[in-house]
Amino acid sequence: MEIRRRQSSPTPAVPSGEHLKPQKLTTTDSQTFSICVANAVFFGLFFSVAYFLLHRWREKIRTSTPLHVVTASETAAIVSLVASAVYLLGFFGIGSRTSFPDDLSDEEILAKEDSRKPGPCPAALVDTEVKPASAIVAPPAKIYGVAPVNLSEEDEEMVKSVVSGSIPSYSLESRLADCRKAAVIRRSAVQMITGKSLEGLPLEGFDYDSILGQCCEMPIGFVQIPVGVAGPLLLDGVEYTVPMATTEGCLVASTNRGCKAIHASGGASSVLLRDGMTRAPVVRFSSAKRAAQLKFFLEDPLNFDSLAVTFNKSSRFARLQSIQPTIAGKNLYIRFRCSTGDAMGMNMVSKGVQNVLDFLQSDFPDMDVIGISGNFCSDKKASAVNWIEGRGKSVVCEAVIKEEVVKKVLKTNVEALVELNMLKNLTGSAIAGALGGFNAHASNIVSAIYIATGQDPAQNVESSHCITMMEAINDGKDLHISVTMPSIEVGTVGGGTQLASQSACLNLLGVKGASKDSPGANSRLLATIVAGSVLAGELSLMSAIAAGQLVKSHMKYNRSSKDITKVVS
Ligand code: ADP
């Protein structure tokens, strides 16, 4: 692979080219001055003492004085000669190239920047080094490495225009009307601008049209995340094979073991307690009294129907469920909750809220809408309101794990698990001041399923709120385990769910797209599967900790014994 770099001297005619200049390391003017003075001093010293010593040598020969008889001044001269020679050799010798980056060419600096220590992933190690300046002769088409792309002259011109800033990178899709080509050109430009190789980041094999205006702006490739499967998870009498996208070794294996224990014990069961997405705008009045008047208006059951009709116009799937207004001085935070069919629902609920705010403006013209979201929603932040009131789908899931399964599959005993749960998940989390974090690792399972199925991974924050309870039952022989998760935010339509890979994972679970029988059934089922998988994950990790196996299993699955250097070569 050859990597083309941007020119080291940006064309002066391009005003925005300033940022294109490689960020050379430069010494300051004062440093440069002191270096020059020091050089001059040592040069002078070296030649003057050399002259002095030669002169003394000639004198000794002339007067037949033995050479080894040296005076104090001659000794001082010899020491000075050696010292100045050492300094000058150090400066102009091998060390100078690294000591004074001003001497480096642009390409050398870039090469230095890119010669980072390899990380643990072999894929990241392949051919990431930057070629020296002499090798940088290829056109932009050669940059891509993984799958060389032949750029036409016209495309190369476009790359140059993006690099110079005369064509904004974000406008490539609309200019070219070709999403893949836009990604190719942007990627090429990014490499030239940054001087960094994108080798290893795949470009081909992705449908860039599918993300336009929906999932990701300014694409330059895509990240690969391995997908493993855990299961079958026997939940409510149905077996599910659960896809998990993760780079954390041990996670899938552990969840799989939990699934096995649940299956061997007759399965888990779940109940969906609530299904409603929330959005809470903040509005301001000139007085707290006026804010209170709107609060009372919104709380009056007589007004709900007209508000709901207005809200529900946002979508045939949006159905307003409740309005919860909370005052802070002159400001009112109004938490709207609505069902959203099979969509996770953030867009839907936001549109409904906007409808209602527009409607309210006629009765409350002095209402100042500060923001469509006032954080009382609460999206992607750990918050008590989600923990207590729920957001998205609220699910409780339980299972009874038989004594022999705890012993044979989980390699521990009921008593140890119950005690560990009490001291770790309940007491330990209380001591830590946890908010919704009364569990061992719910977020591990939630994140992995979210990434695999195209959910918004940032909603892992509140979606992972979970309290895990364990109790010995049947005279202390068997284990009752439950996970209660009040804020599982999932959808099977919209967002990333429609992308090919994510859609395939939803299909594996039998919840792809909109439910034909009953809108919302697919997303609700997905929420219960998330909870069931968390139950399996909790069971397995807690057992590993109780049995003291955690470190051992991580060393087995998380620390590959492969010789990375061999993988690379
Ligand atoms: P979100 O609100 O989660 O951000 P989007 O608004 O992106 O989701 O996607 C929801 C879109 O899918 C809406 O346009 C909606 O009309 C459509 N849709 C089709 N079938 C369904 C369904 N069963 N449930 C919810 N939305 C659906």
Side-chain angles (χ1 to χ4, degrees):
M1 185 199 76
E2 291 187 342
I3 293 175
R4 177 158 149 177
R5 298 281 176 212
R6 67 208 133 114
Q7 297 302 303
S8 54
S9 319
T11 319
V14 183
S16 57
E18 193 55 32
H19 70 285
L20 303 178
K21 192 170 181 180
Q23 294 184 343
K24 253 183 156 181
L25 300 172
T26 56
T27 48
T28 63
D29 289 347
S30 63
Q31 279 174 313
T32 311
F33 178 70
S34 25
I35 289 164
C36 289
V37 170
N39 287 351
V41 167
F42 279 100
F43 261 114
L45 185 66
F46 180 83
F47 287 111
S48 52
V49 294
Y51 176 77
F52 171 73
L53 287 172
L54 284 170
H55 179 75
R56 292 294 307 145
W57 190 15
R58 205 179 65 166
E59 272 297 296
K60 283 185 180 177
I61 291 167
R62 200 167 57 81
T63 57
S64 302
T65 312
L67 286 178
H68 62 271
V69 178
V70 287
T71 63
S73 59
E74 287 167 348
T75 310
I78 291 167
V79 170
S80 301
L81 184 76
V82 171
S84 52
V86 167
Y87 171 83
L88 292 171
L89 271 175
F91 185 83
F92 293 103
I94 299 158
S96 66
R97 304 299 296 171
T98 49
S99 305
F100 299 95
D102 256 1
D103 291 343
L104 296 180
S105 68
D106 294 338
E107 288 72 23
E108 283 170 305
I109 292 167
L110 293 169
K112 270 165 73 76
E113 283 175 6
D114 263 11
S115 61
R116 298 174 295 274
K117 282 205 176 92
C121 177
L125 303 174
V126 180
D127 205 11
T128 52
E129 91 279 12
V130 171
K131 299 285 185 278
S134 56
I136 302 168
V137 290
K142 295 265 180 85
I143 291 173
Y144 309 111
V146 173
V149 179
N150 291 322
L151 290 185
S152 64
E153 268 180 35
E154 197 185 331
D155 294 339
E156 286 188 27
E157 281 308 309
M158 188 148 286
V159 172
K160 283 181 194 153
S161 302
V162 174
V163 170
S164 71
S166 59
I167 289 183
S169 177
Y170 63 78
S171 70
L172 286 172
E173 276 77 4
S174 57
R175 269 172 195 270
L176 297 164
D178 181 341
C179 293
R180 183 192 155 276
K181 191 182 271 187
V184 169
I185 288 172
R186 179 177 298 112
R187 181 187 173 102
S188 177
V190 164
Q191 290 187 117
M192 293 178 85
I193 291 167
T194 62
K196 304 288 189 199
S197 167
L198 284 169
E199 185 78 48
L201 182 74
L203 173 74
E204 300 298 349
F206 192 81
D207 177 8
Y208 292 95
D209 290 314
S210 68
I211 57 171
L212 183 68
Q214 177 134 16
C215 294
C216 180
E217 298 75 38
M218 302 209 280
I220 55 168
F222 59 99
V223 166
Q224 297 164 300
I225 303 176
V227 176
V229 285
L233 170 70
L234 183 55
L235 179 69
D236 300 318
V238 181
E239 288 184 346
Y240 299 98
T241 301
V242 184
M244 299 174 73
T246 182
T247 52
E248 186 184 351
C250 221
L251 180 59
V252 181
S254 175
T255 311
N256 194 52
R257 182 173 77 143
C259 289
K260 187 177 172 189
I262 291 170
H263 204 290
S265 300
S269 59
S270 67
V271 181
L272 187 119
L273 304 165
R274 195 177 227 183
D275 178 12
M277 182 42 70
T278 63
R279 178 56 95 199
V282 50
V283 298
R284 184 169 56 192
F285 289 88
S286 55
S287 67
K289 194 175 170 186
R290 274 299 278 164
Q293 281 171 356
L294 177 57
K295 176 178 161 65
F296 297 143
F297 177 88
L298 294 169
E299 285 173 343
D300 188 341
L302 295 175
N303 295 325
F304 186 82
D305 282 352
S306 53
L307 291 168
V309 167
T310 308
F311 185 100
N312 295 346
K313 280 180 194 155
S314 69
S315 162
R316 67 200 151 113
F317 300 100
R319 293 293 170 264
L320 186 65
Q321 295 172 342
S322 65
I323 304 174
Q324 185 184 1
T326 300
I327 274 197
K330 303 184 290 154
N331 310 298
L332 190 65
Y333 295 80
I334 315 164
R335 195 169 190 258
F336 292 85
R337 179 194 293 277
C338 76
S339 56
T340 57
D342 285 309
M344 180 273 289
M346 283 305 304
N347 285 331
M348 215 178 271
V349 68
S350 299
K351 280 190 229 161
V353 167
Q354 190 60 56
N355 290 349
V356 172
L357 291 175
D358 295 344
F359 172 78
L360 289 172
Q361 208 84 58
S362 55
D363 281 343
F364 295 86
D366 53 336
M367 178 180 77
D368 187 8
V369 178
I370 302 297
I372 186 88
S373 167
N375 273 9
F376 186 42
C377 317
S378 231
D379 193 37
K380 303 172 185 176
K381 268 90 60 182
S383 68
V385 72
N386 290 341
W387 176 233
I388 297 165
E389 299 283 333
R391 187 170 198 253
K393 278 82 172 151
S394 306
V395 180
V396 61
C397 185
E398 66 185 334
V400 173
I401 310 299
K402 297 201 181 94
E403 184 184 29
E404 62 268 24
V405 175
V406 173
K407 276 195 190 125
K408 283 191 187 135
V409 179
L410 301 173
K411 315 273 190 252
T412 181
N413 61 72
V414 173
E415 194 188 353
L417 276 171
V418 171
E419 184 182 48
L420 178 67
N421 191 64
M422 195 262 287
L423 291 178
K424 173 184 164 65
N425 288 344
L426 306 183
T427 316
S429 294
I431 283 184
L435 178 53
F438 299 93
N439 58 78
H441 71 147
S443 71
N444 260 335
I445 291 91
V446 170
S447 304
I449 299 177
Y450 272 33
I451 294 169
T453 60
Q455 310 305 315
D456 186 338
Q459 289 184 321
N460 154 68
V461 175
E462 61 269 31
S463 294
S464 300
H465 283 183
C466 169
I467 183 163
T468 300
M469 306 288 288
M470 291 190 193
E471 201 182 311
I473 58 168
N474 301 334
D475 295 329
K477 284 193 288 195
D478 302 331
L479 175 78
H480 181 274
I481 175 172
S482 68
V483 291
T484 307
M485 303 179 69
S487 314
I488 301 179
E489 296 151 332
V490 288
T492 57
V493 298
T497 62
Q498 39 90 27
L499 301 178
S501 323
Q502 291 82 340
S503 186
C505 290
L506 286 169
N507 192 43
L508 180 65
L509 291 170
V511 294
K512 179 180 162 184
S515 165
K516 290 190 181 67
D517 308 329
S518 154
N522 276 357
S523 64
R524 287 195 285 269
L525 179 54
L526 178 57
T528 61
I529 294 170
V530 169
S533 307
V534 167
L535 188 85
E538 289 290 278
L539 200 51
S540 184
L541 176 58
M542 290 295 284
S543 300
I545 296 173
Q549 295 168 336
L550 183 69
V551 175
K552 212 169 116 191
S553 60
H554 268 262
M555 293 320 286
K556 183 174 173 191
Y557 290 102
N558 222 350
R559 296 278 178 273
S560 169
S561 56
K562 267 186 209 150
D563 183 344
I564 299 285
T565 53
K566 281 189 184 139
V567 173
V568 177
S569 61

